[in-house]
Amino acid sequence: TVHKDAVIDGNIEAAAKIGNVYYNKFSTAYAEVEEGQTLTLLADLELADILTLDKAITLDGNNNTLKSTAARAINVDCAGEVTIQNLTIECSSATQRAVNVINQPATLKLDNVTLTNHRGGDTVNCYSDSPEYLIRAMLELIENGKRPKFYIE
């Protein structure tokens, strides 16, 4: 299925897809993705503004790169579960945080995500009044064979 904004020239030139629906603009795809769905990037994405994930979705980078020049590359601002997978997040020198969780009780899952950082701020930042939240996040990383490093104020 081709969304009305997709460009067709022999092949579909698209930035993202939801299921079998293709979009030539990431912003259009994000506006139409629904809770529980997977939004898949089909090309690298360059953003000057913060990408706010305010829906419980999976963002599948499909081994592409999100390049950000914003103060934060991604804000997670929903009460559900957000998964970011198969993505490199490349931050500029202006970017303070690669991923910023600003709503609790959000669940953030990172799978096969590479974060290249920026000007020395936090790579992943979680606003949390709940130490249990941070402990759950750390245990999930350990269970998946990762060696987490957290900076907690």
Side-chain angles (χ1 to χ4, degrees):
T1 306
V2 179
H3 186 270
K4 62 184 169 83
D5 289 340
V7 176
I8 303 173
D9 183 25
N11 293 314
I12 298 173
E13 296 179 23
K17 70 175 186 164
I18 303 167
N20 291 322
V21 179
Y22 293 79
Y23 302 84
N24 75 335
K25 294 180 183 177
F26 176 81
S27 58
T28 304
Y30 186 76
E32 297 206 9
V33 70
E34 296 178 4
E35 302 253 341
Q37 290 185 313
T38 298
L39 174 57
T40 303
L41 293 180
L42 300 176
D44 290 346
L45 181 63
E46 293 187 27
L47 296 175
D49 296 319
I50 298 170
L51 171 58
T52 299
L53 300 178
D54 57 0
K55 303 173 189 178
I57 65 164
T58 295
L59 175 61
D60 186 345
N62 196 32
N63 298 315
N64 288 295
T65 299
L66 183 155
K67 297 176 183 178
S68 177
T69 57
R72 289 162 185 80
I74 298 175
N75 276 346
V76 177
D77 189 13
C78 78
E81 181 176 301
V82 173
T83 299
I84 302 171
Q85 62 190 27
N86 307 318
L87 181 65
T88 296
I89 301 172
E90 184 179 297
C91 302
S92 74
S93 61
T95 307
Q96 297 171 351
R97 297 182 175 112
V99 180
N100 192 42
V101 180
I102 59 176
N103 189 341
Q104 296 299 321
T107 298
L108 172 64
K109 292 187 176 183
L110 301 174
D111 182 17
N112 192 32
V113 174
T114 301
L115 306 170
T116 58
N117 231 3
H118 49 62
R119 70 172 200 204
D122 304 321
T123 302
V124 177
N125 182 63
C126 299
Y127 291 113
S128 180
D129 295 330
S130 167
E132 293 95 18
Y133 174 80
L134 295 174
I135 291 168
R136 278 196 320 268
M138 188 179 298
L139 289 175
E140 183 174 322
L141 288 168
I142 292 168
E143 287 172 4
N144 289 314
K146 309 291 186 207
R147 294 176 44 180
K149 294 181 182 178
F150 286 88
Y151 176 75
I152 302 171
E153 291 183 346

